Amino acid sequence: MEERFKDMTSYDRAVRISLYSNRVGKMEEQKDHTEDPEAVKALEEKIKETQRLIDELLELFL
């Protein structure tokens, strides 16, 4: 778990989740319009990492 998330307020975590979700959406859209296989692979890795961060933030709400 990212140490920086532990000291955040619930509001800050919710805002961060929203920002990360928007980022994933933009990367998904960019991936759909990219034909370069290397660029698609890089975007998929970034999407996975961002989704992992979202999952960690969501765990803190439980």
Side-chain angles (χ1 to χ4, degrees):
M1 170 128 356
E2 298 275 333
E3 286 296 319
R4 61 187 167 152
F5 296 153
K6 290 182 180 179
D7 294 332
M8 290 181 154
T9 65
S10 294
Y11 177 79
D12 291 336
R13 290 179 190 140
V15 169
R16 186 65 56 108
I17 289 169
S18 177
L19 291 172
Y20 285 164
S21 295
N22 288 338
R23 185 182 299 171
V24 167
K26 288 178 183 179
M27 286 189 286
E28 289 282 356
E29 186 176 319
Q30 186 179 5
K31 185 179 87 170
D32 292 342
H33 298 291
T34 302
E35 294 184 19
D36 179 23
E38 286 296 317
V40 169
K41 186 175 180 180
L43 283 167
E44 287 173 345
E45 288 299 316
K46 287 181 184 177
I47 290 168
K48 281 183 191 177
E49 176 61 21
T50 305
Q51 288 174 329
R52 184 189 65 76
L53 293 173
I54 291 169
D55 290 344
E56 285 187 18
L57 284 164
L58 289 172
E59 283 180 28
L60 293 172
F61 281 109
L62 300 177

